[in-house]
Amino acid sequence: MALKVAVQMDHISSINIAGDSAFAMMLEAQARGHALFHYTPDRLAMRADEVFAAVEPVEVRDEKGNHFTLGEKRRMNMAEMDVILMRQDPPFDLAYIAATHILEKIHPKTLVVNDPSEVRNAPEKLFVTEFADLMPPTLITRDRAEIDLFRAEYGDIVMKPLFGHGGAAVFRITSDDLNYGSLYDFFAATFKEPWVIQQFLPNVKHGDKRILLVDGEFAGAVNRVPQEGDLRSNMVRGGAAREAELTEKEREICARLGPKLREKGLILVGIDVIDGRLTEINVTAPTGIRAVKRLGGPDVAARVWDVLEAKVAAHKA
């Protein structure tokens, strides 16, 4: 059954196809004969309960510098689509939240992935705290006194913005770091929301494992190893992708999360695990699909489309 698939994303001309999970899913959808349409979030429009967007038919190719061809732009009622992949990158800001409200008007008749209301209600660094026993000690605040108490208890800590992404503005503060006061002032002036304060995990030097779950089931993993002299393991920050097998602890984490992810309609999720401790649950635009396959692991994009096709077929039955 050929489906109409729209991809809401940052403009396709701007993506890095070597690591972009949305592109991996587009390649797989096209290979299965589905009709692909491209649009950016600013083209969404809502009138009463109808949602429209100026979309372009798109063909994709796994060729750097020559990876797409767009057709003529036309206005479409998005209820005509079978699937919408909501795949623009964060920041998770008011524009992102507005897009979830708009797409919620047509979901689940049009299957929006991930469920827009659940994406809105599961900010990645807050949703994870529902599983606090799996995490390193974590504080959510912007209050200096609370951070001082946490730092006194745990010594080395990590500070990062609550709605940050891609490893931006992630800092380690040692127990005797004289930059702490200045960094606090910088965060206070820059980030109006609370921040994430976590106990520093020294074994991050051995890797931050990205584990992909599809419909609540383990689908693939890659270990992201930081560059020498850098705290951050994100691949967009120079982290090196390495093959990864799950430990028993990591399988337990997946088993704990799976039922909740299925309940929330979060079909493609990426979790981050450092030294057996869960640090984030990524539900907006999790990366890693291409790295997993490139390193000889499972074809996660194929697994995603197996699930999506089954869900659409069940809805139409």
Side-chain angles (χ1 to χ4, degrees):
M1 174 177 61
L3 305 179
K4 288 184 178 179
V5 178
V7 187
Q8 177 176 303
M9 63 188 300
D10 303 315
H11 198 277
I12 193 169
S13 62
S14 70
I15 66 173
N16 173 13
I17 68 170
D20 193 275
S21 290
F23 190 73
M25 290 191 287
M26 293 171 78
L27 286 169
E28 180 65 21
Q30 181 174 273
R32 294 177 179 226
H34 302 320
L36 282 174
F37 299 87
H38 163 276
Y39 72 98
T40 51
D42 57 295
R43 297 187 202 162
L44 276 177
M46 182 176 71
R47 296 183 66 176
D49 288 333
E50 292 189 303
V51 176
F52 301 90
V55 305
E56 298 145 312
V58 60
E59 296 180 8
V60 288
R61 295 173 292 277
D62 199 4
E63 301 174 23
K64 185 177 179 180
N66 182 37
H67 62 279
F68 71 97
T69 300
L70 295 176
E72 184 177 351
K73 187 184 297 183
R74 63 181 186 266
R75 180 177 184 263
M76 288 187 68
N77 188 320
M78 300 306 279
E80 297 178 33
M81 298 294 174
D82 297 297
V83 177
I84 296 176
L85 302 178
M86 187 178 183
R87 289 294 308 183
Q88 77 267 27
D89 282 338
F92 189 82
D93 55 11
L94 288 175
Y96 208 114
I97 290 170
T100 69
H101 281 290
I102 293 172
L103 291 177
E104 192 177 357
K105 293 288 185 180
I106 56 174
H107 177 81
K109 182 180 178 183
T110 294
L111 180 60
V112 181
V113 183
N114 286 317
D115 182 314
S117 65
E118 295 297 347
V119 166
R120 184 173 66 247
N121 292 333
E124 294 166 344
K125 296 178 180 66
L126 282 175
F127 176 36
V128 67
T129 62
E130 293 188 23
F131 305 92
D133 62 304
L134 302 177
M135 299 178 66
T138 300
L139 171 70
I140 309 292
T141 191
R142 57 182 290 118
D143 182 78
R144 173 71 181 261
E146 287 290 340
I147 300 172
D148 287 347
L149 287 171
F150 189 88
R151 186 175 179 226
E153 183 174 356
Y154 292 105
D156 287 6
I157 61 173
V158 171
M159 285 179 61
K160 53 189 175 182
L162 185 61
F163 296 119
H165 64 101
V170 177
F171 293 90
R172 175 190 177 187
I173 304 168
T174 60
S175 57
D176 59 351
D177 197 328
L178 298 179
N179 291 308
Y180 170 52
S182 293
L183 185 63
Y184 175 87
D185 292 343
F186 166 73
F187 268 54
T190 307
F191 307 112
K192 301 306 179 186
E193 70 275 7
W195 319 317
V196 180
I197 320 297
Q198 284 182 330
Q199 182 185 27
F200 174 67
L201 300 175
N203 281 337
V204 69
K205 65 185 178 183
H206 299 307
D208 177 351
K209 197 171 291 186
R210 164 56 55 87
I211 301 171
L212 295 167
L213 296 99
V214 175
D215 205 24
E217 300 289 339
F218 168 70
V222 61
N223 196 33
R224 303 170 301 175
V225 181
Q227 292 188 82
E228 186 70 29
D230 200 331
L231 165 69
R232 303 163 303 172
S233 58
N234 310 71
M235 287 182 278
V236 295
R237 304 293 171 188
R242 300 283 185 262
E243 280 185 76
E245 296 289 337
L246 293 197
T247 65
E248 189 60 35
K249 177 63 175 177
E250 289 160 350
R251 292 189 182 278
E252 291 173 9
I253 291 172
C254 292
R256 278 278 303 280
L257 269 56
K260 178 68 76 171
L261 301 180
R262 283 192 294 274
E263 174 191 323
K264 289 179 171 290
L266 298 171
I267 293 172
L268 176 61
V269 170
I271 66 172
D272 296 337
V273 179
I274 301 172
D275 196 22
R277 312 297 286 276
L278 178 66
T279 59
E280 290 188 19
I281 301 176
N282 297 276
V283 304
T284 51
T287 59
I289 288 179
R290 303 218 78 186
V292 169
K293 186 176 180 181
R294 185 168 60 248
L295 292 168
D299 189 338
V300 179
R303 174 62 182 147
V304 171
W305 278 108
D306 288 345
V307 169
L308 297 185
E309 288 169 352
K311 288 183 180 293
V312 172
H315 186 78
K316 291 179 179 294

